[in-house]
Amino acid sequence: MAARTTNPGGAEHPGGPEDRARMTAWVRGQVQGVGFRWFTRANALRIGALDGFALNLGDGRVQVVAEGPRARCEELLEWLRDGDTPGQVAGVTEIWDVPRGGYDGFAIR
């Protein structure tokens, strides 16, 4: 049976600290000026238990950083790649790391 932890809002989610991850994704395509960051934040909040941000980059990409249970990060990554996102996603590149912390919720930067 998997361990269960509780997020600050009191909702339980599967896993413990050992399954927490940091996912950084760079989304390319027509993803700026179309509400992409707002929808990314809304989807991260819907998934729940994720902290991080979405940021427009100068080269036209959007950077998304999400920390939380690895399965939830993977769900956000799947949405970035295949979901009903605004604009047009041409591709997503991601890297995985250990969480660094320091985020208060999921922000638009």
Side-chain angles (χ1 to χ4, degrees), residues 53-77:
F53 62 88
L55 169 73
N56 281 343
L57 298 175
D59 62 4
R61 295 177 299 163
V62 171
Q63 180 183 17
V64 178
V65 174
E67 292 188 357
R70 185 174 179 100
R72 306 258 177 136
C73 291
E74 289 171 349
E75 186 176 345
L76 181 62
L77 179 61

Side-chain angles (χ1 to χ4, degrees), residues 11-82:
E12 289 189 352
H13 57 84
E18 67 280 356
D19 85 328
R20 294 183 62 77
R22 174 186 177 95
M23 184 270 303
T24 303
W26 293 272
V27 185
R28 62 190 179 280
Q30 183 185 357
V31 291
Q32 290 189 11
V34 294
F36 192 89
R37 292 176 302 154
W38 188 91
F39 276 94
T40 299
R41 178 180 182 272
N43 200 48
L45 295 175
R46 179 193 62 77
I47 292 168
L50 293 175
D51 296 318
F53 62 88
L55 169 73
N56 281 343
L57 298 175
D59 62 4
R61 295 177 299 163
V62 171
Q63 180 183 17
V64 178
V65 174
E67 292 188 357
R70 185 174 179 100
R72 306 258 177 136
C73 291
E74 289 171 349
E75 186 176 345
L76 181 62
L77 179 61
E78 182 179 330
W79 178 82
L80 291 170
R81 286 195 167 125
D82 301 321

